[in-house]
Structure formats: structure tokens, C-alpha cells
């Protein structure tokens, strides 16, 4: 992990030093009050009010890796290899299958994802902490038993009930070096089952037996023990047993009543933690704050847990738990008033102060993409003893846009297939193995897509990745997706992508260029003869050849407008639609119309519009040649030979056409097409030819010569540095960066 200062600890992460730096302390140690990977204290930030830290971003941006690193940072290994916490810490993935439904076929009235999450979190928080022993959770134990007891009533499978009871009761039992751990829980479970099997109401008897066991001296007798604490439950009338019965009833009622009961269970967990840290004699006061990590908190128990903590803190509850959650996207509906800071802004001080609303108690920090230097270091770490092409890190950064998951899997593919490392396209189609000893792998692009897009929408996205807007997506859906998908399915999928944190980009249905490239790669390789690839692009060619459709009776609500290039008098009836048509012809290997269009509009189009059109057309995906039946004709990239003029002799224009301009335009198109291809390592010879051709064209167009000259320097430099090609913002002859 590369940090911002000299005190950074080098671990598995890159570009997240603002969170983990040691000296000066990053955000996580300032919140926890303990240096990561060490036992040295740090002055805690935010004494009474601790923000809920929410890390936001799309898939693959490293959110889960950050939480795993927090867990690792506050865990050490004994000489026997056993884990021992430096401070109490727990981590759950809210999208894990254990939170999707009850573990048995019991009535759902006595189970919820939040109930399960609290049990799992508390189990982890009871793990031994160095120099402080174990925590216990008497309040939470009583509440969890009260909720589940209604399901046990009348059941004959007493052994299953006993196992469930013991698991809950273990939250209140300290382990012993003499190996008696679990004996108290088993004994109490027997008493609870025995008492509840009598003539009285089952739930009431189970609650009463549990309260008695928790008050018998096994735990310390502080003023707020469970028999005291549940007396404060609304309408309990100062009776703890009645409070727990009301809690159980509210939970079974569902709806807002259940949400109220779940909030009390969360409050019980926090109260148990607060008691463990209270008092001058507590060893925990000498270590860090307790840490609760909620991955993918937008699903499963995540919203309920976050809402409970945020609302209680807004209402004045005092707890010192450091809660770190991750969410996809930055527009979570429950975080409307969250204080938002960039990662670099929280490296030394968070500058956070809560407002009056619950969501203002959250500090939302988007995780940015990695930079080129961080990509270089990450690729180098994975391929430390493998010789790779020197421009591979820059190409990986351009392709992935700094997506950490993409970078590490590309580097893994290069390590396992160094003979293919000269082509990112070949690396992505190579099978990789991610587990040691794994017999079979699958293509790297498939591994990436499994993590970067919703699995239930992979097929639809594979088709729609070629679309540019709502209308073209509907045309593809009508031709290649089930009949019931239609326009509503297109809108729903676009909304889903926005919720996932996918950027909205004018002119592309899938806004993330890395994900779009992977989807198009999957489309190309889905059929042995690449038939699906051809059919999709042929559908779009027909769509953009036909006249534009009339207005949609239910207009697309997407606020991002589709691009409308400057008018092009050489194309009819609509230059914008014709530009898309030419790009899809290029994707099928048909270059003649694109070359003719660029040649014929060079002197008539505004120079910037012409350059933008050239760059757009050259962004068409390129794959190696195929024969008429779609069979592969090898992996040779013909664009370099054409760009370098090696095929000029056999490709003269028709009579009456400026041959000089035709061939120069043809060479330039292929040079830009290859230089800007995210699946290709930049070729210095092609980049030099790109510079030369633009420089020559600048002499043919005096009015736009300055912009052509500036572009002749900018595009090769961008390509060699691993950046997308960008037309200079001004028309000056010197952009201040020197020659490529």
C-alpha cells in the first residue's frame, strides 16, 4: 500500500495511504485511536461524536479490499498461528448468502437479516483481544433469545433448538485456558429448554430463564445489566421480562414494528460494547475503539444496521464504535445529508461535523481510481520476477482507468502467460487461475465481468454494450433479447447501472469504458464464428441507416443528453446517426466508407469537429481478421501495416479522387485506431506516423493548421503515456508539454 508520507506501511493496497498511513496517522487510525499493524496509541479524532465512515465507489474499486485490510491491520498472529485482535473488530459482507434467508425452514417472523448480522458481528467481537481478554454481550444475548424463542415454541426438534441457544448464549461466556468454554452455555440452554417446556407460555418462560442465568454472577453486576436495561423498553413499565416480550412481539409483527425492535437490538450491542469500555479498570480503555465493518451495506442487513446507528446517534446516543461501511455508487438514498470528502482531503484531518439529520452523521468518501504510478507499482509487485513489456503498466492503466481489480487481474494474467503480455487483448482471453492449486481457469475477461457487472444482467449487458443511447439500445433489445425486455427493460437496466455507481457518459449505454470493452470482448468470443458480434453491429448499422425514429411517447428520463456533433453537410439525413453507422462498419472491418467520409469532409468540416469525428470513429472496437464464414485468420493486427504505408500500392482511390489525401487519411485513420486502442500496447512507430500525418495535414488546411499541429503532438504523447487521446482545448501551436 503506497501512502502519502514516509511513514506509510507497505501492504497489499495501493493508493489508499490517506486511510492507513502511520505517521502522520491516516483516517482509520485516527478514528480507531490505534496505529495499524502496531500497538501504539493515536489520539482519537472526534471525541464524543464518531462519524460512520462510508466508502463509496463502483465495483472493483477496492472497497472490500480496504475493509479486509482494516481487519488485518488490527489482527496479529501468535506463535502458534492463532489470530488475536489488537482491538475488537468484526467484518461481514451484507450480500453474503447467510443473510439472504433463514438457515432453516422456520417461520420468518422470528428471523431477519439484521438479527443474523448482529449474531455474527457479536461472535467476531468476542474473539480474544491482546491484553484485554474477551468481550461479552449480555443485553444482546437476551434480545436475540427473546426474538428466536417464538419459533421454538411447540417444536419437537429440541436438539436443533439447543444448538441455536448455545450459539447465542456463547456471546456471554468468556473462554478458558482450561478448556471449559461452552459448558456454561450448554448448561443454561438445558435450563431454558426445560423451563420453556412446562405448562406456561413458551416465550415468557424462555425469557425468564435467560434473564435469571444472565444475572447469576457469571457476568459482572453493573447497573445496566440486562435485567435492568430492558426495563426501559417502551411500555415495559419497568419490567425487563415484559420489555423483552414486547420486543419479541414487535419483531414478529414485521414492518415498522420490526424496524423498531431491530433498532433496540442494535442498541443492545452498542450498550454492551460501551459497558466493556467503561470504568477506570477496563483494559479496553488502553487500546483502540471497537470496529464494525459492513461490506456491501446497500444490501441485506446493511440498510437496517446503518439506519439504526445513524438515527440513534442523531438522537443523542453515545457510543464509540467505529463503523466503516461500503456502498456502490455515491447517491445512496439514506445518505442524502452525509458529509462528503475526497480521499485526499481526509488524509490528515476529516473536517467532519454532524448536522441535525441522521444521515449527516455519516462521512462519505469515494474511493478514487489508482494513478499511473500506483498502477506501475501494482503490476510490478504481481510480476516481480517476470519480464514484461515496459509499456504494459501504462497500457493496463489506460484500459482499466485505474480500476484496482482490473489492474491486479491483468497483472496476474501477464504473470501466468508472459508470452502473451505484448497484447492486452490476448491476456484478457487467456485462462487464469486465482487460487493456488486450481486445476482449471477461465478467461480473464470472464473473471472480471463476474465481479464488475450484476450477474443477473450479464447477458443483456453483453448485447447492449454496443448501444449508444436509449433508441439504439431498444433496437438491439428488439432484435436480440427476449420479447418481454423491451423499452422498459432498457430503462430499468440503465437505472440499475446508475445505482451500481456506473458513470453516465453521453453516447454510450455502458458508461464505464473498461466494463464496456470487456462486454464487447465477451460478445465477440461468445460464438465460435463470432456470429453474435456481426449480428449486433449489423443491427446498429441498419438502425443508423434508417431515418431517425419519431419522438418516444414515453421519453427517456435519463438526464444525460446524447451527443449531437456539429452539422455535417456531407452526410444526409443526419450526420450524428451517420457517424455511429460508420463506427459500426469499422467494428466489422469495413473501412472504405469511414476513409471516404474523413477524406471528403476534411476541407468542409470545422477542424475540431473533423478531429472529434476521426477520434470517435477510431474508438470502434477492433479484433483480428476473419474470413467470410467468421473463422479466425490469425492474430495479426493489420492496422500497423496500413498506418505505416506498407499497403498503399494496392489501395488507390477511385478516379477523380485526390489520391494523396485519400491515402493520407487512410493511414491516419488506422494509426489513430491502433494508437487509441485500449487492448493494444502503444507502438512508437505508429505513434510517430500519427504525428507525421497530422503534421502534413496541417499544411493543407491553413485555417485549422494550428489545431492540427497541436493535435499532432498531443495524441502521440497521450498514447505513449497510456492516456485516452484528447484533442487540445485551444488552437495554439504550443501546448507547453514539448514534443512526443
Amino acid at each position: 500500500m503506497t501512502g502519502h508520507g514516509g511513514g506509510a506501511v507497505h501492504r497489499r493496497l495501493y493508493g489508499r495511504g490517506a486511510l492507513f498511513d502511520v505517521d502522520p496517522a491516516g483516517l482509520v487510525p485516527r478514528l480507531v485511536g490505534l496505529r495499524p499493524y502496531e500497538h501504539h496509541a493515536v489520539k482519537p479524532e472526534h471525541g464524543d461524536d464518531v462519524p460512520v465512515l462510508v466508502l463509496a465507489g463502483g465495483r472493483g474499486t477496492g472497497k472490500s479490499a480496504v475493509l479486509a485490510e482494516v481487519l488485518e491491520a488490527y489482527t496479529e498472529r501468535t506463535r502458534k498461528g492463532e489470530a488475536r485482535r489488537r482491538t475488537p473488530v468484526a467484518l461481514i459482507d451484507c450480500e453474503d448468502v447467510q443473510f439472504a434467508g433463514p438457515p432453516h425452514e422456520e417461520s420468518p417472523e422470528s428471523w431477519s437479516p439484521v438479527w443474523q448480522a448482529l449474531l455474527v458481528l457479536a461472535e467476531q467481537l468476542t474473539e480474544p483481544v491482546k491484553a484485554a481478554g474477551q468481550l461479552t454481550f449480555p443485553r444482546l444475548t437476551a434480545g436475540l433469545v427473546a426474538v428466536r424463542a417464538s419459533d421454538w415454541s411447540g417444536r419437537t426438534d429440541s436438539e436443533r433448538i439447543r444448538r441455536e441457544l448455545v450459539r447465542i448464549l456463547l456471546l456471554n461466556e468468556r473462554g478458558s485456558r482450561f478448556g471449559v468454554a461452552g459448558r456454561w452455555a450448554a448448561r443454561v440452554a438445558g435450563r431454558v429448554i426445560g423451563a420453556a417446556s412446562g405448562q406456561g407460555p413458551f416465550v415468557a418462560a424462555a425469557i425468564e430463564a435467560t434473564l435469571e442465568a444472565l444475572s447469576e454472577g457469571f457476568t459482572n453486576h453493573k447497573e445496566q445489566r440486562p435485567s435492568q436495561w430492558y426495563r426501559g423498553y417502551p411500555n415495559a413499565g419497568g419490567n425487563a421480562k415484559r420489555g423483552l416480550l414486547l420486543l419479541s412481539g414487535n419483531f414478529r409483527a414485521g414492518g415498522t414494528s420490526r424496524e423498531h425492535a431491530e433498532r433496540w437490538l442494535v442498541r443492545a450491542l452498542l450498550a454492551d460494547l460501551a459497558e466493556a469500555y467503561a470504568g477506570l479498570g477496563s483494559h479496553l480503555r488502553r487500546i483502540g475503539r471497537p470496529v464494525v465493518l459492513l461490506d456491501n451495506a446497500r444490501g441485506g442487513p446493511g440498510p437496517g444496521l446503518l439506519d439504526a446507528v445513524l438515527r440513534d446517534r442523531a438522537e443523542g446516543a453515545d457510543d464509540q464504535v467505529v463503523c466503516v461501511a461500503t456502498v456502490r455508487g455515491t447517491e445512496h438514498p439514506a445518505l442524502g445529508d452525509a458529509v462528503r470528502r475526497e480521499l485526499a482531503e481526509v488524509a490528515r484531518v476529516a473536517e467532519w461535523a454532524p448536522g441535525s439529520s441522521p444521515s449527516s452523521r455519516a462521512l462519505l468518501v469515494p474511493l478514487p481510481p489508482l494513478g499511473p504510478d500506483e498502477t506501475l507499482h501494482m503490476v510490478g509487485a504481481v510480476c516481480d520476477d517476470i519480464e514484461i513489456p515496459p509499456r504494459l503498466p501504462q497500457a493496463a492503466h489506460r484500459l482499466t482507468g485505474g480500476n484496482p481489480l482490473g489492474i491486479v487481474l491483468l497483472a496476474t494474467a501477464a504473470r501466468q502467460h508472459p508470452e502473451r503480455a505484448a497484447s492486452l487483448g490476448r491476456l484478457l482471453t487467456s485462462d487464469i487461475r486465482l487460487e493456488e492449486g486450481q486445476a482449471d481457469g477461465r478467461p480473464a475477461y470472464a473473471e472480471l465481468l463476474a465481479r464488475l457487472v450484476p450477474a443477473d444482467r450479464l447477458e443483456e449487458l453483453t448485447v447492449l454494450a454496443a448501444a449508444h443511447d436509449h433508441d439504439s439500445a431498444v433496437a438491439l433489445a428488439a432484435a436480440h433479447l427476449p420479447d418481454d425486455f423491451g423499452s422498459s427493460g432498457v430503462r430499468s437496466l440503465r437505472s440499475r447501472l446508475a445505482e451500481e455507481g456506473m458513470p453516465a457518459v453521453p453516447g454510450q449505454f455502458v458508461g464505464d469504458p473498461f466494463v464496456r470493452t470487456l462486454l464487447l470482448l465477451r460478445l465477440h468470443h461468445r460464438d465460435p464464428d463470432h456470429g453474435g458480434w456481426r449480428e449486433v453491429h449489423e443491427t446498429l448499422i441498419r438502425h443508423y441507416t434508417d431515418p431517425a425514429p419519431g419522438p418516444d411517447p414515453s421519453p427517456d428520463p435519463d438526464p444525460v443528453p446524447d451527443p449531437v456533433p456539429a452539422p455535417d453537410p456531407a452526410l444526409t439525413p443526419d450526420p450524428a446517426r451517420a457517424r455511429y453507422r460508420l463506427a459500426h462498419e469499422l467494428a466489422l472491418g469495413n473501412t472504405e466508407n469511414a476513409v471516404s467520409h474523413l477524406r471528403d469532409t476534411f476541407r468542409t468540416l470545422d477542424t475540431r469537429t473533423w478531429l472529434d469525428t476521426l477520434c470517435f470513429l477510431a474508438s470502434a472496437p477492433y479484433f483480428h481478421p476473419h474470413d467470410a464464414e467468421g473463422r479466425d485468420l490469425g492474430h495479426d493486427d493489420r492496422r500497423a501495416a496500413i498506418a505505416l504505408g506498407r499497403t498503399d500500392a494496392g489501395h488507390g482511390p477511385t478516379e477523380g479522387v485526390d489520391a494523396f489525401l485519400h491515402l493520407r487519411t487512410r493511414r491516419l485513420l488506422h494509426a489513430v485506431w491502433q494508437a487509441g486502442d485500449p487492448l493494444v500496447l502503444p507502438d512508437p512507430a505508429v505513434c510517430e506516423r500519427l504525428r507525421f500525418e497530422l503534421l502534413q495535414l496541417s499544411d493543407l488546411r491553413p485555417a485549422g493548421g494550428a489545431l492540427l499541429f497541436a493535435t499532432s503532438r498531443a495524441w502521440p504523447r497521450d498514447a505513449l503515456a497510456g492516456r485516452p487521446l484528447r484533442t487540445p482545448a485551444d488552437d495554439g501551436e504550443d501546448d507547453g508539454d514539448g514534443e512526443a
Side-chain angles (χ1 to χ4, degrees):
M1 175 189 67
T2 55
H4 295 272
V9 176
H10 292 271
R11 297 273 166 167
R12 298 172 297 175
L13 298 186
Y14 293 82
R16 307 306 184 216
L19 297 175
F20 289 103
D21 275 353
V22 173
D23 187 16
L27 178 60
V28 170
R30 296 201 313 272
L31 292 178
V32 177
L34 190 67
R35 284 186 176 187
Y37 326 106
E38 301 178 5
H39 287 286
H40 295 90
V42 174
K43 183 180 179 180
E45 193 169 316
H46 308 294
D48 296 327
D49 288 318
V50 184
V52 172
L53 176 59
V54 180
L55 303 175
R59 294 174 182 253
T61 52
K63 304 183 300 298
S64 299
V66 167
L67 296 194
E69 191 69 15
V70 174
L71 183 68
E72 182 71 17
Y74 294 109
T75 303
E76 66 178 11
R77 300 289 171 179
T78 66
R79 292 180 179 178
K80 296 181 179 180
E82 299 172 346
R84 187 173 295 274
R85 306 300 189 195
R86 292 185 171 97
T87 197
V89 58
L91 165 64
I92 62 169
D93 180 355
C94 296
E95 292 184 348
D96 192 83
V97 65
Q98 65 178 317
F99 305 119
H104 307 288
E105 297 179 355
E106 66 257 14
S107 169
E109 286 84 9
S110 63
W111 183 93
S112 75
V114 169
W115 185 97
Q116 185 73 23
L118 290 170
L119 173 61
V120 175
L121 287 170
E123 286 177 330
Q124 295 183 45
L125 291 168
T126 62
E127 295 181 15
V129 178
K130 185 173 183 179
Q134 287 179 268
L135 280 70
T136 57
F137 294 89
R139 295 167 184 77
L140 181 62
T141 298
L144 295 178
V145 169
V147 168
R148 289 293 293 130
S150 65
D151 179 68
W152 300 330
S153 178
R155 288 190 176 272
T156 58
D157 46 352
S158 59
E159 186 54 37
R160 197 198 88 187
I161 296 172
R162 185 183 303 274
R163 288 196 304 269
E164 291 186 11
L165 251 175
V166 168
R167 182 179 179 184
I168 298 171
L169 291 167
L170 280 173
L171 301 180
N172 201 54
E173 179 175 1
R174 287 187 173 88
S176 168
R177 60 190 178 94
F178 298 110
V180 298
R183 292 184 183 178
W184 176 84
R187 186 171 66 251
V188 173
R191 288 169 50 186
V192 171
I193 293 173
S197 300
Q199 299 300 315
F202 187 98
V203 177
I207 289 173
E208 186 170 3
T210 302
L211 285 175
E212 289 177 358
L214 293 173
S215 302
E216 282 182 350
F218 191 88
T219 60
N220 50 31
H221 286 248
K222 294 193 175 182
E223 184 179 0
Q224 296 298 317
R225 63 188 182 219
S227 59
Q228 299 280 344
W229 194 74
Y230 282 102
R231 294 176 183 177
Y233 194 85
N235 300 319
N239 184 295
K241 177 180 175 182
R242 176 171 173 77
L244 284 164
L245 283 169
L246 289 169
L247 170 74
S248 178
N250 286 335
F251 193 99
R252 291 196 305 273
T256 56
S257 297
R258 172 173 290 185
E259 293 173 4
H260 174 80
E262 288 177 338
R263 282 185 61 195
W264 270 82
L265 291 175
V266 174
R267 195 175 296 171
L269 173 75
L270 299 178
D272 285 332
L273 286 171
E275 180 178 295
Y277 276 75
L280 295 176
S282 173
H283 293 289
L284 290 167
R285 293 174 61 86
R286 297 196 294 270
I287 62 175
R289 290 164 168 163
V291 183
V292 171
L293 308 170
L294 307 176
D295 201 10
N296 296 310
R298 195 161 186 158
L305 294 171
L306 284 178
D307 179 70
V309 173
L310 292 171
R311 287 179 61 183
D312 274 9
R313 290 184 179 180
E315 293 173 7
D318 183 17
D319 74 81
Q320 293 292 297
V321 175
V322 176
C323 182
V324 185
T326 70
V327 296
R328 295 196 191 106
T330 59
E331 302 302 323
H332 196 291
L335 300 172
D337 293 330
V339 177
R340 295 168 186 253
R341 295 284 183 268
E342 297 301 317
L343 183 62
E345 295 177 316
V346 301
R348 298 293 172 258
V349 61
E351 295 287 351
W352 173 85
S356 58
S357 66
S359 62
S360 70
R361 298 273 162 172
L363 172 63
L364 191 145
V365 180
L367 290 184
L370 300 184
D373 288 346
E374 292 150 355
T375 302
L376 175 67
H377 297 318
M378 180 179 285
V379 173
V382 176
C383 303
D384 58 345
D385 56 351
I386 299 294
E387 185 176 350
I388 58 173
R391 296 191 184 277
L392 177 63
Q394 294 96 316
H397 185 264
R398 177 174 67 176
L399 170 64
T400 64
N403 181 287
L405 176 66
I407 295 167
V408 74
L409 286 192
L410 266 176
T412 300
R415 179 177 179 82
Q416 296 180 8
H417 302 279
E419 74 283 357
R420 295 188 169 198
S423 166
L424 296 189
R426 296 193 69 193
L427 283 181
L428 287 172
T429 55
S430 301
D431 287 351
I432 61 172
R433 299 172 304 281
L434 301 180
E435 301 292 339
E436 188 174 351
Q438 181 180 344
D440 299 316
R442 60 174 171 171
Y445 74 82
E447 290 286 359
L448 283 163
L449 286 173
R451 293 162 170 79
L452 293 176
V453 303
D456 61 327
R457 285 292 177 257
L458 177 58
E459 293 301 325
E460 293 89 342
L461 283 170
T462 299
V463 171
L464 299 183
H468 301 282
D469 53 19
H470 177 76
D471 290 338
S472 59
V474 170
L476 285 176
H480 305 287
L481 294 178
D483 293 340
D484 59 354
F485 191 79
S487 178
S488 61
V490 169
R491 289 196 174 91
S492 297
L493 186 51
R494 198 160 195 177
S495 297
R496 174 79 175 275
L497 294 179
E499 292 170 359
E500 292 271 341
M502 189 88 62
V505 176
Q508 299 293 353
F509 183 81
V510 177
D512 187 298
F514 178 40
V515 174
R516 184 170 64 252
T517 298
L518 295 173
L519 289 167
L520 292 174
L521 192 61
R522 182 177 187 268
L523 176 64
H524 184 263
H525 287 276
R526 192 167 59 174
D527 308 309
D529 64 349
H530 312 295
W533 171 262
R534 293 197 309 275
E535 291 168 3
V536 162
H537 288 287
E538 288 167 355
T539 298
L540 290 175
I541 290 170
R542 289 192 298 271
H543 173 73
Y544 286 115
T545 301
D546 297 335
D552 191 332
S554 55
D556 184 9
D558 183 17
V560 179
D562 293 312
V564 180
D568 183 350
L571 293 172
T572 57
D574 185 343
R577 294 172 62 78
R579 189 173 79 151
Y580 288 133
R581 173 177 54 80
L582 293 172
H584 290 288
E585 289 180 358
L586 273 175
L588 294 181
N590 304 324
T591 62
E592 292 183 6
N593 289 337
V595 171
S596 298
H597 168 64
L598 291 169
R599 178 198 67 210
D600 295 342
T601 59
F602 174 68
R603 291 188 172 89
T604 58
L605 271 183
D606 171 78
T607 302
R608 182 173 297 278
T609 302
W610 188 85
L611 285 169
D612 288 345
T613 301
L614 167 62
C615 204
F616 175 80
L617 294 179
S619 69
Y622 175 90
F623 293 103
H624 52 264
H626 314 110
D627 63 18
E629 283 73 41
R631 293 185 297 254
D632 295 337
L633 287 177
H635 294 278
D636 294 335
D637 188 339
R638 296 179 178 177
R639 292 173 296 180
I642 297 173
L644 297 175
R646 295 169 184 165
T647 64
D648 283 359
H651 288 82
T654 58
E655 187 176 351
V657 172
D658 184 339
F660 175 82
L661 182 59
H662 175 87
L663 290 174
R664 192 170 297 287
T665 303
R666 181 171 179 266
R667 292 192 297 266
L668 177 61
L669 172 62
H670 284 81
V672 179
W673 199 5
Q674 188 189 62
D677 190 339
L679 295 177
V680 174
L681 270 62
D683 183 337
V686 171
C687 290
E688 170 58 26
R689 191 65 184 224
L690 166 58
R691 185 196 68 80
F692 176 78
E693 297 295 353
L694 283 171
L695 198 60
Q696 294 301 305
L697 287 176
S698 69
D699 292 335
L700 301 180
R701 187 82 188 273
L707 181 57
L708 288 164
F709 177 83
T711 305
S712 75
R713 306 171 72 186
W715 282 3
R717 185 174 58 247
D718 286 342
L720 292 172
R723 296 190 297 262
L725 306 187
R726 297 165 297 183
T727 305
D730 58 66
D731 298 348
E733 293 192 7
D734 190 355
D735 57 8
D737 290 326
E739 293 284 350

